[in-house]
Amino acid sequence: MAEQRWDGREAGGAGERARDAGETRGRRVRDEEAHAWAELVGAARRTVSDGLVVGTSGNVSVRVGDTVLVTPSGVPYDRLTPDDVTGVDLTGRQVLGTLVPTSELPLHLAVYRTTGARAVVHTHAVHATAVSTLVDELPPIHYMAAALGGPVRVARYATYGTDELAENMLRALDGRTGCLLQNHGTVTHGTSLVRAYDRTAQLEWMCRVWLTASSVPGLSPHLLSPGQLAEVGERLRGYGQRG
């Protein structure tokens, strides 16, 4: 496949700034990376159409071998093309493309360095973000919390794009595949982009359910016990089609 090039003129000069900083990488994009990039762009566009982000907020990444493909900073997802592949190694060094990677790169890399994840989705979903401002843990309002490893924790607030935020996130993710970021949004990961995205959608839905139930005057929602969640977790191990 031909080398991937982007001149930066259609997205506010981001690609040109990367070149000026000497960050251009010229190795060829492998077929597996090109396929993964197409899936990544599709998922990023879906975060907008599903109302999980506004504009270019949020970000998506996929790991292919030791390369992490990630959405670039400040580029509208509907303007990304196959020639815009943006990739870094696990140290954060850019190895593919000229577009500047997302400012939340430390968050994504922290997940890949500490888990077996192959994809990460970060959103600013409305209901999840609202919940992150109210509690330290999403109350177990629905049994699908078990699909994320248990009650979803809220990572303590830190400035976006910082190592501090990444560290806070890792603590909240311990034993989980998703968490909330205080006054910020959500992070989910999975062994595939489909799984990571489904967990994002499920987390936002659970937050919406809890907010809705909690808003009824004079009533408090019934919550599930640790034992009930553990039972569901066991059942989910055998969920779905065989083979």
Side-chain angles (χ1 to χ4, degrees):
M1 180 177 290
E3 292 182 359
Q4 304 302 297
R5 297 289 188 231
W6 193 81
D7 65 10
R9 288 174 294 187
E10 292 188 358
E16 198 63 47
R17 287 195 297 277
R19 269 197 298 279
D20 291 344
E23 296 175 352
T24 301
R25 296 295 180 266
R27 83 162 171 81
R28 294 177 182 274
V29 177
R30 303 181 181 99
D31 288 343
E32 185 180 9
E33 292 167 338
H35 178 72
W37 177 254
E39 288 189 330
L40 181 153
V41 171
R45 290 173 178 170
R46 187 179 169 192
T47 63
V48 178
S49 62
D50 286 354
L52 299 176
V53 303
V54 176
T56 60
S57 65
N59 24 79
V60 180
S61 68
V62 176
R63 180 174 178 176
V64 181
D66 289 332
T67 299
V68 175
L69 306 180
V70 63
T71 47
S73 178
V75 181
Y77 300 140
D78 61 358
R79 295 169 71 174
L80 291 175
T81 75
D83 292 334
D84 297 333
V85 178
T86 304
V88 301
D89 64 19
L90 292 174
T91 71
R93 179 177 65 92
Q94 189 157 358
V95 296
L96 287 174
T98 58
L99 291 174
V100 176
T102 173
S103 58
E104 293 288 15
L105 188 59
L107 182 152
H108 290 260
L109 293 180
V111 173
Y112 292 121
R113 290 171 186 153
T114 57
T115 73
R118 310 305 292 184
V120 176
V121 178
H122 165 50
T123 77
H124 293 178
V126 172
H127 299 91
T129 303
V131 169
S132 79
T133 71
L134 298 172
V135 296
D136 294 326
E137 181 179 276
L138 172 64
I141 191 73
H142 193 273
Y143 65 78
M144 282 306 290
L148 279 78
V152 178
R153 306 183 189 103
V154 179
R156 182 172 297 183
Y157 180 81
T159 304
Y160 79 92
T162 62
D163 290 336
E164 181 184 4
L165 176 59
E167 292 167 3
N168 292 350
M169 173 204 67
L170 287 180
R171 283 192 287 271
L173 279 177
D174 185 25
R176 305 288 187 267
T177 53
C179 73
L180 301 178
L181 305 178
Q182 192 175 61
N183 296 82
H184 187 154
T186 70
V187 174
T188 58
H189 65 78
T191 54
S192 70
L193 186 53
V194 170
R195 288 189 176 185
Y197 194 95
D198 284 349
R199 285 167 179 158
T200 296
Q202 191 68 243
L203 178 52
E204 168 66 356
W205 179 81
M206 286 190 292
C207 288
R208 184 176 182 182
V209 169
W210 181 72
L211 287 172
T212 301
S214 298
S215 69
V216 179
L219 295 176
S220 296
H222 176 77
L223 302 176
L224 300 178
S225 69
Q228 289 171 322
L229 285 181
E231 181 180 0
V232 172
E234 287 299 318
R235 291 180 66 87
L236 286 174
R237 295 178 190 276
Y239 180 78
Q241 301 299 314
R242 303 294 190 272

